[in-house]
Amino acid sequence: MEITPQQLAEQLKSGSDAQIVDVRETAEVAEGMIPGARHIALGELAGHLDALDKGRPVIAICRSGRRSAAAADQLTAAGYTAYTVPGGMLDWTAAGFPVS
């Protein structure tokens, strides 16, 4: 399933309980992440699934949307309700949404 940066920003504003997982590499997240996001690189995701709450939706984000789509597929297969952000952080920052 997909969620646009605009929809994600609205959810965050309205107090959504979704878990945001940034699946980029460490050097990439140094450029900034969505406030409140958790960093778990895509290659490490399978080993960190227990750190996520299966009862809350997970929104995966990366630089452009390709890795987050793979992460959402992996999460869905593991029983999570998962979304990907097409356009990723490129579209998030282009829209002027905050990074920390």
Side-chain angles (χ1 to χ4, degrees):
M1 295 185 289
E2 296 184 346
I3 183 171
T4 67
Q6 292 76 12
Q7 291 169 322
L8 177 54
E10 272 304 310
Q11 281 195 14
L12 292 174
K13 236 168 50 174
S14 67
S16 168
D17 72 339
Q19 306 164 91
I20 303 169
V21 177
D22 193 319
V23 297
R24 296 176 295 162
E25 296 300 319
T26 302
E28 293 174 287
V29 298
E31 299 169 9
M33 294 188 349
I34 294 173
R38 168 184 287 179
H39 174 234
I40 305 173
L42 179 59
E44 300 172 8
L45 185 60
H48 289 84
L49 292 177
D50 60 341
L52 300 171
D53 181 350
K54 266 195 180 165
R56 295 169 46 210
V58 180
I59 300 171
I61 191 159
C62 65
R63 181 179 171 272
S64 66
R66 186 165 266 159
R67 286 173 285 179
S68 62
D73 288 346
Q74 195 175 36
L75 288 160
T76 300
Y80 292 83
T81 301
Y83 298 84
T84 181
V85 181
M89 289 300 291
L90 292 174
D91 284 1
W92 178 267
T93 54
F97 296 126
V99 294
S100 61

